[in-house]
Amino acid sequence: MHGSSASPWCWAQLVACCLLCAFAFALPLPCFGVFVSPMVETFGSSVTEVNLYFTFMTAAAVVSCAVGERILDKRMRSTVVVCVFAMAAAYAALALVPSIAMVWLAGAVAGLCYPLCTTMLVPIHINRWFSKRQGTFIGVSFALVGLSGMVFGPLLTAGIAGFGWRATLAGAAVAMLAVCVSAAVFLLRSDPASVGVEPYGGMRDAIEAREDGRARSACAPYFGIPFAFAALAALLSGVLGDLNTQVNAVAQQSGFDAVTAGVAFSCISGGLVVGKVALGSIRDARGSAVSISFGCVCGVVAFALLAFSISTDGAALLFIGSALAGICTCLGTVAPALLAADAFDPRHHARAVGHLTAFCNAGMAVGAPLYSLSFDLAGSYLPVTLSLCAIAVLTAIASLVSVRARKAASACSMMG
Protein backbone atom coordinates (compact mmCIF):
# COMPACT_ATOMS: atom_id res chain seq x y z
CA MET A 1 0.00 0.00 0.00
CA HIS A 2 1.38 3.43 -0.93
CA GLY A 3 0.66 6.99 0.18
CA SER A 4 -2.77 7.39 1.71
CA SER A 5 -4.46 4.66 -0.30
CA ALA A 6 -6.41 2.15 1.70
CA SER A 7 -7.82 -1.32 1.41
CA PRO A 8 -11.60 -1.62 1.14
CA TRP A 9 -11.37 -3.26 4.56
CA CYS A 10 -10.25 0.09 6.03
CA TRP A 11 -13.34 1.83 4.70
CA ALA A 12 -15.49 -1.08 5.87
CA GLN A 13 -14.29 -0.39 9.43
CA LEU A 14 -15.21 3.28 9.08
CA VAL A 15 -18.67 2.33 7.82
CA ALA A 16 -19.09 -0.11 10.72
CA CYS A 17 -18.09 2.58 13.24
CA CYS A 18 -20.57 5.00 11.65
CA LEU A 19 -23.43 2.49 11.81
CA LEU A 20 -22.70 1.58 15.42
CA CYS A 21 -22.66 5.25 16.41
CA ALA A 22 -25.86 5.96 14.47
CA PHE A 23 -27.83 3.23 16.22
CA ALA A 24 -26.06 1.92 19.36
CA PHE A 25 -25.19 5.43 20.57
CA ALA A 26 -28.10 7.54 19.33
CA LEU A 27 -30.90 5.57 20.98
CA PRO A 28 -29.42 5.15 24.47
CA LEU A 29 -28.37 8.81 24.75
CA PRO A 30 -29.70 11.76 22.69
CA CYS A 31 -32.75 10.06 21.19
CA PHE A 32 -33.90 8.73 24.55
CA GLY A 33 -34.53 12.32 25.56
CA VAL A 34 -37.72 12.41 23.43
CA PHE A 35 -39.22 9.73 25.69
CA VAL A 36 -38.71 11.69 28.93
CA SER A 37 -41.79 13.93 28.81
CA PRO A 38 -44.26 11.19 27.77
CA MET A 39 -42.84 8.92 30.48
CA VAL A 40 -43.29 11.66 33.08
CA GLU A 41 -46.92 11.95 31.96
CA THR A 42 -47.47 8.17 32.01
CA PHE A 43 -45.95 7.61 35.44
CA GLY A 44 -47.18 10.87 36.98
CA SER A 45 -43.65 11.32 38.31
CA SER A 46 -41.20 14.19 38.53
CA VAL A 47 -38.75 14.92 35.71
CA THR A 48 -35.92 14.02 38.07
CA GLU A 49 -37.21 10.48 38.62
CA VAL A 50 -37.29 9.67 34.91
CA ASN A 51 -34.04 11.54 34.27
CA LEU A 52 -32.28 9.19 36.67
CA TYR A 53 -32.15 6.91 33.62
CA PHE A 54 -29.17 8.97 32.48
CA THR A 55 -27.54 8.85 35.91
CA PHE A 56 -27.81 5.06 36.11
CA MET A 57 -26.61 4.80 32.52
CA THR A 58 -23.54 6.99 32.89
CA ALA A 59 -22.63 5.52 36.29
CA ALA A 60 -22.69 2.03 34.77
CA ALA A 61 -20.66 3.30 31.83
CA VAL A 62 -17.87 4.32 34.21
CA VAL A 63 -17.56 0.68 35.24
CA SER A 64 -17.70 -0.50 31.63
CA CYS A 65 -14.98 1.92 30.53
CA ALA A 66 -12.67 0.86 33.36
CA VAL A 67 -12.41 -2.69 31.97
CA GLY A 68 -13.52 -2.16 28.37
CA GLU A 69 -10.08 -1.95 26.79
CA ARG A 70 -9.19 -5.52 27.78
CA ILE A 71 -12.59 -6.90 26.77
CA LEU A 72 -12.47 -5.31 23.32
CA ASP A 73 -8.89 -6.41 22.80
CA LYS A 74 -9.83 -10.06 23.33
CA ARG A 75 -13.33 -10.41 21.84
CA MET A 76 -14.37 -7.29 19.98
CA ARG A 77 -17.03 -8.56 17.56
CA SER A 78 -18.73 -10.94 19.98
CA THR A 79 -18.73 -8.20 22.64
CA VAL A 80 -20.56 -5.83 20.29
CA VAL A 81 -23.17 -8.46 19.43
CA VAL A 82 -23.82 -9.39 23.07
CA CYS A 83 -24.04 -5.75 24.14
CA VAL A 84 -26.51 -4.83 21.41
CA PHE A 85 -28.74 -7.81 22.27
CA ALA A 86 -28.67 -6.80 25.95
CA MET A 87 -29.66 -3.20 25.21
CA ALA A 88 -32.47 -4.22 22.85
CA ALA A 89 -33.82 -6.65 25.46
CA ALA A 90 -33.75 -3.95 28.17
CA TYR A 91 -35.71 -1.48 26.03
CA ALA A 92 -38.20 -4.16 25.02
CA ALA A 93 -38.70 -5.01 28.69
CA LEU A 94 -39.30 -1.33 29.50
CA ALA A 95 -41.89 -1.12 26.73
CA LEU A 96 -43.67 -4.28 27.91
CA VAL A 97 -43.50 -3.63 31.66
CA PRO A 98 -43.28 0.16 32.05
CA SER A 99 -42.26 1.52 35.45
CA ILE A 100 -39.75 3.91 36.96
CA ALA A 101 -37.67 0.95 38.15
CA MET A 102 -37.55 -0.46 34.61
CA VAL A 103 -36.42 2.94 33.31
CA TRP A 104 -33.50 2.82 35.73
CA LEU A 105 -32.70 -0.80 34.82
CA ALA A 106 -32.69 0.02 31.12
CA GLY A 107 -30.33 2.90 31.84
CA ALA A 108 -27.93 0.67 33.77
CA VAL A 109 -27.88 -1.97 31.01
CA ALA A 110 -27.32 0.68 28.35
CA GLY A 111 -24.47 2.16 30.37
CA LEU A 112 -22.70 -1.17 30.63
CA CYS A 113 -23.09 -1.85 26.92
CA TYR A 114 -23.03 1.25 24.72
CA PRO A 115 -19.39 2.28 25.44
CA LEU A 116 -18.18 -1.12 24.26
CA CYS A 117 -20.04 -0.58 20.97
CA THR A 118 -19.26 3.10 20.41
CA THR A 119 -17.40 5.59 22.61
CA MET A 120 -14.57 3.22 23.54
CA LEU A 121 -14.56 1.05 20.45
CA VAL A 122 -14.46 3.82 17.82
CA PRO A 123 -11.28 5.72 18.89
CA ILE A 124 -9.40 2.49 19.60
CA HIS A 125 -10.54 0.90 16.34
CA ILE A 126 -9.79 3.97 14.20
CA ASN A 127 -6.36 4.18 15.83
CA ARG A 128 -5.66 0.61 14.73
CA TRP A 129 -6.94 0.95 11.18
CA PHE A 130 -5.87 4.52 10.30
CA SER A 131 -2.36 5.87 10.89
CA LYS A 132 -3.29 9.25 9.38
CA ARG A 133 -6.23 11.66 9.83
CA GLN A 134 -7.43 9.81 12.90
CA GLY A 135 -9.16 12.86 14.36
CA THR A 136 -11.13 13.41 11.16
CA PHE A 137 -12.27 9.80 10.88
CA ILE A 138 -13.22 9.63 14.57
CA GLY A 139 -15.16 12.85 14.08
CA VAL A 140 -16.94 11.44 11.02
CA SER A 141 -17.93 8.30 12.95
CA PHE A 142 -19.27 10.21 15.94
CA ALA A 143 -20.98 12.72 13.65
CA LEU A 144 -23.41 9.96 12.75
CA VAL A 145 -24.83 10.31 16.28
CA GLY A 146 -25.92 13.85 15.47
CA LEU A 147 -27.08 12.96 11.96
CA SER A 148 -29.17 10.09 13.25
CA GLY A 149 -30.56 12.40 15.93
CA MET A 150 -31.69 14.82 13.22
CA VAL A 151 -33.44 11.99 11.40
CA PHE A 152 -34.66 9.88 14.31
CA GLY A 153 -35.77 12.76 16.56
CA PRO A 154 -38.75 13.83 14.42
CA LEU A 155 -39.53 10.19 13.53
CA LEU A 156 -39.60 9.13 17.16
CA THR A 157 -41.63 12.18 18.13
CA ALA A 158 -44.15 11.36 15.39
CA GLY A 159 -44.16 7.71 16.45
CA ILE A 160 -44.89 8.64 20.05
CA ALA A 161 -47.74 10.89 18.93
CA GLY A 162 -49.22 8.21 16.68
CA PHE A 163 -48.49 4.93 18.45
CA GLY A 164 -47.40 5.83 21.98
CA TRP A 165 -43.94 5.81 23.50
CA ARG A 166 -43.99 2.10 24.34
CA ALA A 167 -44.51 0.86 20.76
CA THR A 168 -42.07 3.46 19.44
CA LEU A 169 -39.36 2.44 21.91
CA ALA A 170 -39.80 -1.25 21.03
CA GLY A 171 -39.54 -0.48 17.31
CA ALA A 172 -36.39 1.56 17.83
CA ALA A 173 -34.83 -1.32 19.79
CA VAL A 174 -35.52 -3.78 16.95
CA ALA A 175 -33.95 -1.42 14.40
CA MET A 176 -30.87 -0.96 16.60
CA LEU A 177 -30.48 -4.72 16.96
CA ALA A 178 -30.77 -5.47 13.25
CA VAL A 179 -28.36 -2.79 12.05
CA CYS A 180 -25.68 -3.18 14.72
CA VAL A 181 -25.49 -6.96 14.63
CA SER A 182 -25.19 -6.84 10.85
CA ALA A 183 -22.37 -4.28 11.09
CA ALA A 184 -20.49 -6.38 13.65
CA VAL A 185 -20.84 -9.67 11.77
CA PHE A 186 -20.24 -8.54 8.19
CA LEU A 187 -17.96 -5.49 8.50
CA LEU A 188 -16.09 -5.30 11.80
CA ARG A 189 -12.61 -6.87 12.00
CA SER A 190 -10.23 -6.60 14.93
CA ASP A 191 -7.15 -5.17 13.16
CA PRO A 192 -5.55 -4.92 9.69
CA ALA A 193 -3.32 -7.95 10.26
CA SER A 194 -6.39 -10.17 10.76
CA VAL A 195 -7.32 -9.69 7.08
CA GLY A 196 -3.79 -9.24 5.74
CA VAL A 197 -3.82 -5.53 4.92
CA GLU A 198 -2.08 -2.36 6.12
CA PRO A 199 -3.76 0.54 7.91
CA TYR A 200 -4.74 3.68 6.03
CA GLY A 201 -1.52 5.62 5.47
CA GLY A 202 0.71 2.55 5.63
CA MET A 203 2.74 0.98 8.41
CA ARG A 204 5.61 3.48 8.52
CA ASP A 205 3.65 6.20 10.28
CA ALA A 206 2.23 3.76 12.81
CA ILE A 207 5.71 2.36 13.58
CA GLU A 208 7.20 5.85 13.93
CA ALA A 209 4.41 6.87 16.31
CA ARG A 210 5.06 3.84 18.51
CA GLU A 211 8.83 4.49 18.55
CA ASP A 212 8.22 8.16 19.35
CA GLY A 213 6.06 7.12 22.29
CA ARG A 214 8.72 4.77 23.62
CA ALA A 215 11.36 7.50 23.37
CA ARG A 216 9.30 9.85 25.54
CA SER A 217 8.12 7.29 28.09
CA ALA A 218 10.93 7.92 30.60
CA CYS A 219 9.84 11.55 31.20
CA ALA A 220 6.14 11.14 30.37
CA PRO A 221 4.60 8.66 32.82
CA TYR A 222 0.96 7.79 32.35
CA PHE A 223 -0.22 9.29 35.62
CA GLY A 224 0.82 12.87 36.27
CA ILE A 225 -0.22 16.45 35.53
CA PRO A 226 -1.35 15.71 31.93
CA PHE A 227 -3.59 12.89 33.17
CA ALA A 228 -5.05 14.97 36.01
CA PHE A 229 -6.05 17.89 33.80
CA ALA A 230 -7.18 15.63 30.95
CA ALA A 231 -9.41 13.79 33.43
CA LEU A 232 -10.84 17.12 34.63
CA ALA A 233 -11.49 18.23 31.05
CA ALA A 234 -13.20 14.92 30.29
CA LEU A 235 -15.32 15.17 33.44
CA LEU A 236 -16.49 18.68 32.54
CA SER A 237 -17.07 17.64 28.93
CA GLY A 238 -19.47 15.01 30.21
CA VAL A 239 -21.50 17.67 32.03
CA LEU A 240 -21.63 19.71 28.82
CA GLY A 241 -22.65 16.64 26.83
CA ASP A 242 -25.72 16.10 29.02
CA LEU A 243 -27.47 18.92 27.17
CA ASN A 244 -27.75 16.67 24.11
CA THR A 245 -30.11 14.37 26.00
CA GLN A 246 -31.89 17.16 27.85
CA VAL A 247 -32.63 19.78 25.20
CA ASN A 248 -36.04 18.33 24.28
CA ALA A 249 -37.16 18.29 27.92
CA VAL A 250 -35.56 21.71 28.55
CA ALA A 251 -37.57 23.20 25.68
CA GLN A 252 -40.89 21.59 26.61
CA GLN A 253 -40.60 22.30 30.33
CA SER A 254 -39.65 25.91 29.52
CA GLY A 255 -42.97 26.48 27.77
CA PHE A 256 -42.26 25.56 24.16
CA ASP A 257 -44.56 23.06 22.44
CA ALA A 258 -43.54 19.53 21.43
CA VAL A 259 -42.97 20.49 17.78
CA THR A 260 -40.67 23.39 18.72
CA ALA A 261 -38.82 21.12 21.15
CA GLY A 262 -38.39 18.55 18.38
CA VAL A 263 -36.91 21.20 16.08
CA ALA A 264 -34.52 22.25 18.86
CA PHE A 265 -33.42 18.64 19.21
CA SER A 266 -32.80 18.47 15.45
CA CYS A 267 -30.81 21.73 15.66
CA ILE A 268 -28.50 20.47 18.40
CA SER A 269 -28.14 17.20 16.48
CA GLY A 270 -27.11 19.21 13.42
CA GLY A 271 -24.56 21.03 15.56
CA LEU A 272 -23.22 17.67 16.71
CA VAL A 273 -22.70 16.57 13.11
CA VAL A 274 -20.79 19.73 12.21
CA GLY A 275 -18.95 19.87 15.52
CA LYS A 276 -17.55 16.35 15.55
CA VAL A 277 -16.17 16.55 12.03
CA ALA A 278 -14.89 20.10 12.57
CA LEU A 279 -13.21 19.37 15.91
CA GLY A 280 -11.63 16.21 14.52
CA SER A 281 -10.28 18.08 11.49
CA ILE A 282 -9.01 20.97 13.66
CA ARG A 283 -7.23 18.45 15.87
CA ASP A 284 -5.45 16.94 12.86
CA ALA A 285 -4.39 20.42 11.68
CA ARG A 286 -3.77 22.37 14.91
CA GLY A 287 -3.90 19.94 17.83
CA SER A 288 -6.39 18.97 20.52
CA ALA A 289 -6.05 22.09 22.68
CA VAL A 290 -7.06 24.38 19.82
CA SER A 291 -9.85 22.02 18.78
CA ILE A 292 -11.40 21.80 22.23
CA SER A 293 -11.02 25.53 22.83
CA PHE A 294 -12.89 26.27 19.61
CA GLY A 295 -15.75 24.05 20.74
CA CYS A 296 -15.87 25.73 24.14
CA VAL A 297 -16.03 29.23 22.63
CA CYS A 298 -19.01 28.13 20.55
CA GLY A 299 -20.52 26.77 23.76
CA VAL A 300 -20.28 30.02 25.71
CA VAL A 301 -22.15 31.85 22.94
CA ALA A 302 -24.69 29.03 22.62
CA PHE A 303 -25.54 28.75 26.31
CA ALA A 304 -26.03 32.51 26.56
CA LEU A 305 -28.47 32.36 23.64
CA LEU A 306 -30.33 29.46 25.25
CA ALA A 307 -30.63 31.43 28.48
CA PHE A 308 -32.12 34.37 26.58
CA SER A 309 -34.55 32.04 24.78
CA ILE A 310 -35.80 30.63 28.09
CA SER A 311 -36.23 34.14 29.51
CA THR A 312 -37.98 35.60 26.46
CA ASP A 313 -39.74 32.54 24.99
CA GLY A 314 -37.85 33.19 21.76
CA ALA A 315 -37.99 30.15 19.48
CA ALA A 316 -35.42 31.57 17.05
CA LEU A 317 -32.87 32.03 19.84
CA LEU A 318 -33.64 28.48 21.01
CA PHE A 319 -32.88 27.06 17.56
CA ILE A 320 -29.69 29.07 17.00
CA GLY A 321 -28.43 28.37 20.52
CA SER A 322 -29.15 24.66 20.15
CA ALA A 323 -27.27 24.44 16.84
CA LEU A 324 -24.20 26.21 18.27
CA ALA A 325 -24.45 24.19 21.48
CA GLY A 326 -24.02 20.98 19.51
CA ILE A 327 -20.55 22.10 18.40
CA CYS A 328 -19.57 22.32 22.08
CA THR A 329 -21.56 19.49 23.63
CA CYS A 330 -20.09 16.99 21.16
CA LEU A 331 -17.07 17.16 23.48
CA GLY A 332 -19.03 14.77 25.68
CA THR A 333 -18.24 12.21 22.99
CA VAL A 334 -15.02 13.27 21.26
CA ALA A 335 -13.02 14.88 24.10
CA PRO A 336 -11.54 11.56 25.33
CA ALA A 337 -10.32 10.69 21.82
CA LEU A 338 -8.90 14.17 21.25
CA LEU A 339 -7.10 14.28 24.59
CA ALA A 340 -5.84 10.71 24.34
CA ALA A 341 -4.16 11.63 21.07
CA ASP A 342 -2.23 14.69 22.31
CA ALA A 343 -1.98 14.50 26.11
CA PHE A 344 -0.55 10.94 26.28
CA ASP A 345 2.16 8.88 24.61
CA PRO A 346 0.88 6.78 21.67
CA ARG A 347 1.57 3.56 23.55
CA HIS A 348 -0.97 4.67 26.19
CA HIS A 349 -3.68 5.59 23.68
CA ALA A 350 -6.17 2.77 24.27
CA ARG A 351 -5.75 2.94 28.04
CA ALA A 352 -6.25 6.72 28.00
CA VAL A 353 -9.39 6.44 25.86
CA GLY A 354 -10.92 4.05 28.38
CA HIS A 355 -10.07 6.10 31.45
CA LEU A 356 -11.03 9.47 29.97
CA THR A 357 -14.29 8.04 28.65
CA ALA A 358 -14.99 6.85 32.19
CA PHE A 359 -14.43 10.39 33.49
CA CYS A 360 -16.67 11.73 30.74
CA ASN A 361 -19.45 9.39 31.80
CA ALA A 362 -18.90 10.32 35.44
CA GLY A 363 -19.47 13.92 34.41
CA MET A 364 -22.69 12.93 32.66
CA ALA A 365 -23.82 11.03 35.76
CA VAL A 366 -23.23 14.09 37.93
CA GLY A 367 -24.65 16.54 35.42
CA ALA A 368 -27.90 14.84 34.42
CA PRO A 369 -29.71 15.30 37.76
CA LEU A 370 -28.51 18.91 37.94
CA TYR A 371 -30.55 19.74 34.85
CA SER A 372 -33.77 18.29 36.22
CA LEU A 373 -33.14 19.51 39.79
CA SER A 374 -32.72 23.02 38.41
CA PHE A 375 -36.26 22.80 37.06
CA ASP A 376 -37.78 20.94 40.01
CA LEU A 377 -36.30 23.38 42.58
CA ALA A 378 -36.19 26.69 40.71
CA GLY A 379 -39.00 26.09 38.23
CA SER A 380 -36.61 26.97 35.40
CA TYR A 381 -33.62 25.63 33.49
CA LEU A 382 -32.07 29.10 33.47
CA PRO A 383 -29.59 28.53 36.37
CA VAL A 384 -28.05 25.40 34.88
CA THR A 385 -27.93 26.93 31.38
CA LEU A 386 -25.92 29.90 32.64
CA SER A 387 -23.64 27.59 34.63
CA LEU A 388 -22.69 25.80 31.41
CA CYS A 389 -20.88 28.96 30.23
CA ALA A 390 -18.44 28.71 33.14
CA ILE A 391 -18.05 24.95 32.67
CA ALA A 392 -17.11 25.46 29.00
CA VAL A 393 -14.38 27.96 29.98
CA LEU A 394 -12.95 25.57 32.60
CA THR A 395 -12.97 22.71 30.06
CA ALA A 396 -10.87 24.72 27.62
CA ILE A 397 -8.37 25.71 30.33
CA ALA A 398 -7.98 22.14 31.63
CA SER A 399 -7.43 20.81 28.09
CA LEU A 400 -4.79 23.42 27.34
CA VAL A 401 -2.89 22.70 30.57
CA SER A 402 -3.03 18.95 29.93
CA VAL A 403 -1.59 19.15 26.41
CA ARG A 404 1.08 21.70 27.37
CA ALA A 405 2.15 19.59 30.33
CA ARG A 406 2.60 16.61 28.04
CA LYS A 407 4.69 18.75 25.64
CA ALA A 408 6.85 19.87 28.56
CA ALA A 409 7.45 16.23 29.47
CA SER A 410 8.37 15.47 25.85
CA ALA A 411 10.85 18.36 25.82
CA CYS A 412 12.38 16.97 29.01
CA SER A 413 12.87 13.62 27.28
CA MET A 414 14.51 15.23 24.26
CA MET A 415 16.92 17.17 26.48
CA GLY A 416 17.81 13.94 28.24
Side-chain angles (χ1 to χ4, degrees), residues 27 83-94 109 169-170 172-174 176-177:
L27 179 59
C83 286
V84 172
F85 266 103
M87 285 193 290
Y91 291 130
L94 173 57
V109 172
L169 180 61
V174 171
M176 176 183 68
L177 180 65

Side-chain angles (χ1 to χ4, degrees), residues 105-195:
L105 177 61
V109 172
L112 290 173
C113 296
Y114 90 83
L116 301 179
C117 303
T118 56
T119 49
M120 280 201 64
L121 182 144
V122 169
I124 293 173
H125 202 55
I126 293 296
N127 187 62
R128 290 178 180 175
W129 279 88
F130 297 85
S131 59
K132 291 183 176 180
R133 299 177 63 193
Q134 294 173 351
T136 300
F137 291 131
I138 290 171
V140 168
S141 299
F142 284 137
L144 265 292
V145 179
L147 184 60
S148 61
M150 293 175 64
V151 176
F152 297 160
L155 289 177
L156 292 172
T157 301
I160 292 170
F163 305 101
W165 69 265
R166 295 170 64 183
T168 303
L169 180 61
V174 171
M176 176 183 68
L177 180 65
V179 172
C180 294
V181 169
S182 297
V185 172
F186 297 111
L187 298 177
L188 211 58
R189 297 297 182 270
S190 59
D191 56 64
S194 66
V195 290

Side-chain angles (χ1 to χ4, degrees), residues 216-294:
R216 288 193 297 262
S217 61
C219 274
Y222 180 70
F223 293 108
I225 293 177
F227 178 87
F229 280 93
L232 176 60
L235 185 78
L236 297 174
S237 294
V239 177
L240 295 173
D242 276 319
L243 184 62
N244 300 324
T245 64
Q246 302 296 315
V247 68
N248 189 284
V250 167
Q252 290 197 50
Q253 299 296 332
S254 297
F256 296 99
D257 60 37
V259 174
T260 301
V263 174
F265 179 78
S266 294
C267 287
I268 200 170
S269 297
L272 290 172
V273 174
V274 174
K276 289 171 183 176
V277 177
L279 295 189
S281 298
I282 292 172
R283 182 269 154 187
D284 289 338
R286 301 294 300 276
S288 296
V290 174
S291 176
I292 294 173
S293 296
F294 172 77

Side-chain angles (χ1 to χ4, degrees), residues 232-241 243 289 291-304 324-325 327-329 331 371 384-400:
L232 176 60
L235 185 78
L236 297 174
S237 294
V239 177
L240 295 173
L243 184 62
S291 176
I292 294 173
S293 296
F294 172 77
C296 290
V297 169
C298 291
V300 171
V301 176
F303 304 139
L324 283 175
I327 299 175
C328 176
T329 57
L331 290 172
Y371 284 77
V384 73
T385 305
L386 291 173
S387 298
L388 293 177
C389 294
I391 292 174
V393 172
L394 291 174
T395 302
I397 293 172
S399 300
L400 180 63

